[in-house]
Amino acid sequence: MARIAVIGAGTGAMAAAARLAVAGHRVTVYERSRTYGGSLGRYAREGFVFDTGPSLLHLPAVYRDLFVKTGKEPLEQRVTLTQVDPASRHHFADGTAVSLPNASRAGVVGALDGALGKGSGARWGEFLDRAGTAWDRSRRPLLEEPLRDDRQVLGRDPYPALRRRRLLTVREAGTVAEIGAWELADPRLAALLDWYALSYGLDPRRAPAAAALLPYMEETFGSWYVAGGMRALAEAVYERCLARRVTFVFGAEVVRVAEKDGRAAGVELADGESVEADHVVLGAQPWPGLLSGQERRPGGGTGGAGGAEGAGEAGQRPVPGRFLVLLSLRGAREAGAVHRSVVHCEDGAAEQDAVFGGRTAERPTVTVLRPDDPATRPDEAHEAVTLMATVAPHGPVDWTDAALRERYADVLIDRACVAVPGLRERILHAEVRTPAETAADTGAEGGSVPAPALAGARGAYLHSGNRTGLPGLYLAGGWSHPGGGLAHAGMSGALVAGLVVEGDGFRGSQ
């Protein structure tokens, strides 16, 4: 039985903790805040309840596997999962709109043909076929295996872009934006694809074509809502950890990982306490001073810089965060209301310039979330609605500026009226949360939200490996391989547990 110290109580860290405890280890989680769940936060006021982090679950099989491997009680006995249908409704700048059914390729093709014109659905369907090829080529090394020291297989873009001859040259898409311009050939389809990238904090103009995996995963495996809000999933994972006798210490800030004889030997807390451990799992964003020997960075030689856009030139750009407006509304949710609507901006390039240039976008793309869940509202005569936009992180933009917060919230409300007619007249209360709050709650620098790892771009969009340059120190969660997002965080926990239990010879799930 080994002593294992886990830093942070996010979902990736807890997923690792539960699996390690089942393997017979003594696991203690040290969390700087007073609660668990990391980005899976909750805000409640006068009977209205809101998620402050991810709102939908993709690839629920990741958490089903966690519950199967850590106990007899399956995930669905702990939470109620329902598929969101339609998966989303998109309002484009030219006034057209389309509702996309959940996990139905034929349904999506038909909906796009009907709303955007004949042939639109076929082009999107053919794009998803190519995205499926990219999924087949990269799924195992990108998602199911520890990051290899030799990352050549992931440095190449797995997306089979169409080759088009233009006079004496051959042109093929190498980025998300180029897929939209050259293969989808409709500004509305391009905006749809750009939204998938931007919603994960990726710049469509720079993100490799392999980002096609993001719409492929969602449209193939579906979008799922957890009754009571996504915080209920964090509660279920936390309770599974407790059932497996994982110990949690809240209000315990780890300031340093202790080293002895060239390996991790425990953690040092802010109050001066030192805790010995045989292994340390870091489930948070690495910070300066984490190790006493700073010549050895947490990622070692096994991964990128750990940011949402990895190493190199991309990693120097601001990693975005989320701006939320939590609206308590009078009046019932009307029949036929859609759980998730997207109001696309008129000028995608201007929005991307702002978000990735450290400024506020004047006309942002806004995602509107309207769960049909009695647990989120005081009664049937009211509704809880969340507005979300991807924005530059705190630092380049001062998100503590009260006037800016109020003005930007008003911008989101104005744009959301396209999806929710009469929205302004229904508002009882509006709560604003910005990257400044995210930074305070999670400790992420600037309130940035890590994106999933991507193949291609010579590895620039990979994250730090789960095995680090310091023996005994492992990385779990969104800031490590395979990156951000609930499903990816759960995968990282499984990979870390496998490395600790089976050693460096672990090659992932079979």
Side-chain angles (χ1 to χ4, degrees):
M1 176 188 292
R3 300 164 300 175
I4 299 176
V6 178
I7 305 171
T11 50
M14 291 196 295
R19 291 174 181 270
L20 289 167
V22 167
H25 299 297
R26 193 169 72 218
V27 184
T28 304
V29 177
Y30 298 90
E31 168 58 45
R32 62 189 287 273
S33 73
R34 296 293 175 181
T35 189
Y36 53 85
S39 64
L40 287 180
R42 173 182 285 165
Y43 174 79
R45 173 174 174 165
E46 299 174 358
F48 294 93
V49 177
F50 306 86
D51 285 321
T52 59
S55 58
L56 293 173
L57 178 63
H58 304 112
L59 291 176
V62 173
Y63 288 91
R64 290 184 177 125
D65 181 71
L66 170 64
F67 275 73
V68 167
K69 298 292 176 57
T70 60
K72 296 180 180 179
E73 191 178 33
L75 175 63
E76 275 81 358
Q77 288 188 16
R78 300 299 306 157
V79 299
T80 300
L81 292 175
T82 56
Q83 283 192 298
V84 176
D85 200 10
S88 56
R89 180 167 176 80
H90 295 264
H91 300 264
F92 297 106
D94 68 350
T96 56
V98 61
S99 293
L100 302 181
N102 196 356
S104 171
R105 177 75 61 85
V108 168
V109 168
L112 290 172
D113 273 344
L116 307 186
K118 189 172 179 58
S120 300
R123 286 197 299 277
W124 185 259
E126 290 163 1
F127 154 70
L128 287 181
D129 287 339
R130 294 188 291 275
T133 298
W135 167 264
D136 292 337
R137 289 174 174 175
S138 61
R139 174 181 57 85
R140 184 162 179 80
L142 185 66
L143 302 177
E144 298 177 356
E145 296 179 346
L147 192 61
R148 303 177 186 179
D149 291 335
D150 177 8
R151 295 178 294 153
Q152 184 177 6
V153 66
L154 291 175
R156 295 189 296 269
D157 198 314
Y159 179 78
L162 294 179
R163 298 174 64 86
R164 299 182 182 276
R165 292 193 175 277
R166 291 293 186 272
L167 297 177
L168 300 178
T169 64
V170 176
R171 185 176 69 177
E172 60 182 52
T175 67
V176 169
E178 288 172 350
I179 292 175
W182 301 348
E183 295 183 4
L184 298 177
D186 182 315
R188 296 163 298 185
L189 293 179
L192 175 60
L193 178 56
D194 283 357
W195 169 75
Y196 277 106
L198 188 64
S199 67
Y200 281 100
L202 295 162
D203 187 342
R205 301 165 301 180
R206 294 174 173 81
L213 268 64
L214 302 176
Y216 174 83
M217 287 190 295
E218 179 170 327
E219 296 194 17
T220 301
F221 304 109
S223 299
W224 301 74
Y225 176 71
V226 179
M230 295 301 296
R231 176 70 180 177
L233 177 63
E235 292 171 352
V237 177
Y238 172 68
E239 290 170 357
R240 176 53 54 92
C241 285
L242 294 180
R244 301 284 80 83
R245 299 186 179 180
V246 174
T247 300
F248 285 80
V249 184
F250 295 107
E253 181 180 3
V254 173
V255 295
R256 189 170 295 106
V257 173
E259 300 179 46
K260 183 178 181 181
D261 299 329
R263 63 174 290 116
V267 297
E268 299 175 16
L269 305 181
D271 63 5
E273 181 182 358
S274 295
V275 179
E276 294 183 353
D278 301 298
H279 303 279
V280 176
V281 176
L282 174 61
Q285 184 181 25
W287 62 88
L290 171 67
L291 303 177
S292 57
Q294 283 302 293
E295 72 282 356
R296 183 167 44 233
R297 65 186 177 89
T302 61
E309 294 194 43
E313 180 182 354
Q316 303 306 312
R317 300 175 61 79
V319 179
R322 307 288 184 264
F323 187 102
L324 302 178
V325 185
L326 313 178
L327 297 175
S328 302
L329 302 183
R330 64 172 65 86
R333 184 182 190 270
E334 72 271 17
V338 176
H339 184 113
R340 179 177 59 173
S341 297
V342 181
V343 181
H344 292 267
C345 69
E346 296 84 354
D347 189 342
E351 178 181 29
Q352 294 153 25
D353 281 342
V355 171
F356 297 96
R359 306 187 308 278
T360 57
E362 293 303 316
R363 302 281 291 172
T365 297
V366 177
T367 299
V368 182
L369 300 165
R370 306 178 67 186
D372 187 10
D373 184 352
T376 66
R377 54 189 181 247
D379 53 51
E380 294 304 309
H382 295 85
E383 183 183 8
V385 171
T386 298
L387 313 182
M388 190 277 288
T390 299
V391 296
H394 181 54
V397 174
D398 181 6
W399 288 117
T400 63
D401 184 315
L404 172 62
R405 293 162 64 95
E406 182 177 355
R407 179 185 70 80
Y408 213 64
D410 196 61
V411 169
L412 266 65
I413 292 170
D414 180 63
R415 294 189 53 71
C417 289
V418 174
V420 189
L423 175 62
R424 283 193 178 279
E425 292 72 29
R426 297 176 58 195
I427 297 175
L428 293 171
H429 179 263
E431 173 72 14
V432 174
R433 293 184 62 87
T434 76
E437 281 76 31
T438 303
D441 290 347
T442 69
E445 183 178 358
S448 295
V449 178
L454 299 174
R458 292 176 293 183
Y461 287 76
L462 298 175
H463 293 252
S464 296
N466 310 107
R467 183 180 58 249
T468 75
L470 178 66
L473 174 63
Y474 302 87
L475 305 182
W479 295 103
S480 62
H481 179 71
L486 274 178
H488 294 73
M491 294 175 197
S492 77
L495 292 174
V496 165
L499 287 167
V500 172
V501 173
E502 299 186 25
D504 288 348
F506 175 67
R507 292 293 178 265
S509 59
Q510 300 299 320

